[in-house]
Amino acid sequence: MNRFILSIGLIFTFAAVPTFAQDGADRVVEEVVVTGLRKESSLQDTAITITAITSADLETKQLENFEDLQFAVPTLTFAKGAYSGSGISLRGIGNFAVGNSSSSSIGYFWNGQVGSQSGLYEAEFFDVERVEVLRGPQGTLFGSGTSGGAVQLITKRPGAEFGGSLKVDLADYDSTRINGAVDIPFSDNFRSRFAFASLKRDGFVTNNYNGDQLDDRNTMAGRASFEWDFSDDTSITLIYEQTKADDNRLRAARQFCKQDSFFGCDPIQTGMDSVHSSGSYFHWINYFMFTYTDLENSYNRNNPSNDVRTVDLDFTPTHNTILESTLFEIDHALTDDVNMVFSYSYHTRDYEDWADYDHSVSVLPYALGPITTNVGVDPTTGNPGVGMRTYTSEQNIDMSTNESEWSQTELRFSSDYDGQFNFTLGFYHQTTSSETDYHIKSPSLMYYGNTNNGPHCQIFPATCNVGGLPYWGTFFGGLTAGITSATGLAQVGAIDPSAVLATGLGLASGGIVIPGVPGANAAALAALAGRTGGLPLWQQTYRNDSNMNRHSNAVYGELYYDVADDTRLTFGARYSDYEIIDYAYVGLSDLTGKAAGYFGSIQPPAEKRDFFSDATTFKLGIDHDLNDNQLIYATFSSGFKPGGTNPTDADNGGVQVYAEEEVEVFEVGMKNTLMDGRLQLNVSAYQNEIDGLQLSKIVRRSSINENASATVKGFEAEFTFFITNTLMLDGFYAHTDATIDEFMSVDPLNPGGATAFLPYAEGQTGFLKDFAPLAATCDPNVFLGLAAPSATCSLGLAASDAQLGALVKYKNTDAGMVFSSFASLCTQPYFGLDSTTLPCPVTDGVEQDLSGNRLPLSAEDNYRLGLTKFYDTSGGSYAFRVDYSFRGDTYSDTFNRPRDLIEEYDVVDLSLTYTPNNADWYVGAYVRNLSDSDHIYAKYNTDPTIGGFANGVALDPKIMGINFGMNF
């Protein structure tokens, strides 16, 4: 609060600049019409908490997209998430669940229709009438997925006269932003409007690997709107919009990691290292194939710079998307008092994004020679891959795609009677089909799938054209024996001592067969197992695929009763039912998931996962006019979003299900228009009780959703104040307390719940084989099946297995040992190569009590102050504006680890605009992020099997620009 008061003092120093002249017109806060009740009403007469940002506000506050919008609305946050999504949160409640079958907590609506929240990552504001942000449950009128609130974007509609506008914005980083619109009336009752937008700029982020600038923008958007007054009582609207993006934007920028040779990245602390590759599944699979000879030396280099706007990537990202939306609407007056609106909308999204999976540059060469392959190629899906290349060291790539279509049909009736009763009644149906694929690819997985791609085939032709676990498992199992035999041959002079390693590898792989000398003959065994030809291309990757269909039906209504001329009651309810059918497939090569032990040219069928749900939400409200300029209100409302299924199975092979999310909110508020319209002040206080809050974490490359309970309470104030006729102060202040009430969860980055990591004892190697001597402690009856083994005996028996002893590592912690095998983590010995030999139970780990932890990305204090100074001259008006935004510290994750902390930050923007009296044109200049602040405003943690690093998203750097606009 002290900082808030100080910022007011600082911002007012700007107001001391003298005024040139003043005209006689008094400036007041303009009335804004909103549609938060699914019909038009004045913002100040609408008894719900709404922030309405008009087209003029978007220009004045330099709001170009949703990343900007989060600094202009109380408690709003927006961030790109993992995979193909992005998310909005309000009042500490966000779209924390991840997955194709998951639902939103904050709804996004385009002209009243359910829009693509993931597509907001590409969207730029253009030709927008206003943006409305409704806080608190909006389930009665807007449906499920709005338990925390809703964001509406309303585009401009056609005008009755020919005219239009054009704006050009030129800025640093070779940024060129152009947008415009034109109204073309074809007749008195048929109108059209055409709008377009274009943004091209260079990237903000430097890739230290090759000096390229990344995170650029290349987007185009267009919209065509038509309105036909079919009769005096009926109007018909048709809107079509398309947005395209084709650039190298980053899903996240800087990698955050404190390097650790066991975990990859320290699960508690943070830093700016690269991930230690031994914490990655890909280092382990290379070790298994002897393309890397140990698990101690990381093949990744550190980013040579600590600048948060630098990355170190050996793969250049690509990003392509097309988003289309179409709306058909009929607005018909059934009588003088009852109106009907029928709407149908259809939307599609086609998204493809390729990225550097480990966010690092590999510098350690493969031990046996290069791998030559086309990573990612798959003719069965038409994927051309990245092209044939020769890799001298490891490279990891991920691909995220989404093809979705959805439609919404709605019929709504509303009344405007003169009496005490009025109503809104509606019927709703939505259908969604979404195919989301997430694949991880690497040259090592291609080589694992077929030896033709790498050195085994080149060195030992007899080992060509095989692959998969039958070959490589036999090779690794025979490697020790092969080298032992080769050493014996050298000792008797049969081979040169320098040929020991090559001969040992040849004996293990079956590439060399010497009569009488033991060798694994892996190639021959693989052929007998049916692996001649290697694995099919579709199986030379990790695949997490989901094909989801969702159907939702609802009937809803609100009844408004005027108790008196100045007091109104609202009763609302909505019944909804949901059917979510998800066909899910998760598999890694022939090792895990549905592909474990499978060999075939066609991918196994996906597993059908059904989820059915229904719910009734309600709203009770009362509002009262203290006078013509002051309104007080109170509401008690509920919200709901359906549960769903996780992509991975439970320990018993059944489907993992997460439950519904339900919320109840009590809110009081007051809206004030004072001082003859010069001051508008709206305040509200609320308390949310959330049961079944859906939270996500990444476990073994898949997002797993869980349920918690939480309480969120807070206070918000928004204001616009003309202090004088030429000095306007506007802004907001929000205080939010968003905490978890009850939630027990295993930390996937730290499954034992350790707080300290202990050194190895003298003689310990860190491999499970260290405990083989403990097998001697076993009761003899254990081997006869007459007694259960003790914990010590079980550890010794596991360590005595040659495969487990060599391919399982352990770490000593203050909470006991944690084990790693192929970079998965477990609190008991297990085998991480495949999911069948000795898997780690899904329920493994020590549950941590997260009660009292803060919800992700929820700042306790958040405010913005803007001061505009008008200088009125005889020819026009100058507007000089300064904006100061502040957001307190937050956590990126529910575990609230030190590494999850996102520190508080502030941003200052400046702008100067001149508009002549006839308003035919304007010219302006601006500076955004005046201090060139490089704060991180969002993070998300990655999976332990890639080292568990965090991806961070930084503020845009300091940008200076000029713009010019004209109206005609």
Side-chain angles (χ1 to χ4, degrees), residues 725-795:
N725 198 42
T726 61
L727 185 64
M728 180 184 73
L729 176 69
D730 62 80
F732 67 81
Y733 173 79
H735 178 79
T736 308
D737 180 7
T739 56
I740 295 172
D741 293 333
E742 294 183 11
F743 186 36
M744 302 292 293
S745 184
V746 176
D747 184 349
L749 302 179
N750 184 13
T755 59
F757 305 107
L758 309 178
Y760 294 111
E762 185 176 352
Q764 287 186 327
T765 66
F767 282 88
L768 187 65
K769 62 186 180 182
D770 290 345
F771 302 101
L774 295 179
T777 67
C778 293
D779 184 333
N781 287 321
V782 170
F783 303 102
L784 299 176
L786 301 177
S790 66
T792 302
C793 170
S794 295
L795 181 59

Side-chain angles (χ1 to χ4, degrees), residues 400-448:
S400 181
T401 66
N402 174 262
E403 292 184 11
S404 55
E405 60 178 1
W406 66 100
S407 63
Q408 174 181 323
T409 305
E410 187 170 14
L411 181 62
R412 185 173 67 252
F413 301 90
S414 59
S415 69
D416 187 18
Y417 294 120
D418 291 333
Q420 292 178 289
F421 286 96
N422 277 288
F423 67 87
T424 296
L425 173 67
F427 304 90
Y428 174 93
H429 173 74
Q430 184 188 7
T431 299
T432 301
S433 174
S434 177
E435 181 177 347
T436 298
D437 298 335
Y438 180 70
H439 297 171
I440 304 172
K441 309 165 185 293
S442 74
S444 56
L445 286 180
M446 304 291 286
Y447 178 41
Y448 172 87

Side-chain angles (χ1 to χ4, degrees), residues 322-473:
I322 300 176
L323 179 65
E324 295 179 285
S325 295
T326 304
L327 167 64
F328 175 75
E329 185 175 83
I330 300 175
D331 190 321
H332 175 65
L334 294 174
T335 68
D336 291 342
D337 303 312
V338 179
N339 195 69
M340 179 200 77
V341 177
F342 169 81
S343 63
Y344 172 81
S345 63
Y346 177 76
H347 315 257
T348 63
R349 184 185 187 225
D350 190 352
Y351 168 95
E352 181 173 311
D353 187 284
W354 291 66
D356 188 314
Y357 179 54
D358 62 4
H359 285 235
S360 301
V361 173
S362 173
V363 293
L364 187 65
Y366 290 130
L368 301 181
I371 297 173
T372 300
T373 186
N374 181 3
V375 172
V377 62
D378 187 356
T380 62
T381 61
N383 194 322
V386 300
M388 188 64 68
R389 302 179 186 178
T390 296
Y391 299 86
T392 59
S393 60
E394 185 66 352
Q395 186 182 81
N396 307 144
I397 304 167
D398 71 352
M399 181 194 74
S400 181
T401 66
N402 174 262
E403 292 184 11
S404 55
E405 60 178 1
W406 66 100
S407 63
Q408 174 181 323
T409 305
E410 187 170 14
L411 181 62
R412 185 173 67 252
F413 301 90
S414 59
S415 69
D416 187 18
Y417 294 120
D418 291 333
Q420 292 178 289
F421 286 96
N422 277 288
F423 67 87
T424 296
L425 173 67
F427 304 90
Y428 174 93
H429 173 74
Q430 184 188 7
T431 299
T432 301
S433 174
S434 177
E435 181 177 347
T436 298
D437 298 335
Y438 180 70
H439 297 171
I440 304 172
K441 309 165 185 293
S442 74
S444 56
L445 286 180
M446 304 291 286
Y447 178 41
Y448 172 87
N450 194 315
T451 54
N452 283 355
N453 296 316
H456 267 218
C457 176
Q458 298 163 11
I459 300 171
F460 309 111
T463 69
C464 291
N465 207 33
V466 292
L469 188 57
Y471 174 77
W472 290 109

Side-chain angles (χ1 to χ4, degrees), residues 572-642:
R574 185 184 187 107
Y575 172 79
S576 304
D577 63 54
Y578 312 87
E579 178 186 34
I580 303 172
I581 303 174
D582 189 19
Y583 293 86
Y585 174 89
V586 179
L588 171 60
S589 195
D590 63 344
L591 299 171
T592 67
K594 303 301 178 186
Y598 178 84
F599 180 72
S601 59
I602 300 175
Q603 180 175 315
E607 180 180 7
K608 183 180 180 181
R609 298 168 182 259
D610 297 346
F611 190 90
F612 301 90
S613 182
D614 63 349
T616 300
T617 56
F618 62 89
K619 174 182 177 180
L620 301 174
I622 183 171
D623 61 276
H624 173 71
D625 296 322
L626 296 175
N627 51 55
D628 291 343
N629 298 309
Q630 290 181 291
L631 170 74
I632 57 174
Y633 61 92
T635 60
F636 183 68
S637 56
S638 66
F640 170 88
K641 74 172 183 177

Side-chain angles (χ1 to χ4, degrees), residues 478-487 500 503-505 507-508 518-519:
L479 188 57
T480 300
I483 292 178
T484 300
S485 297
T487 302
V500 168
T503 303
L505 291 170
L507 291 170

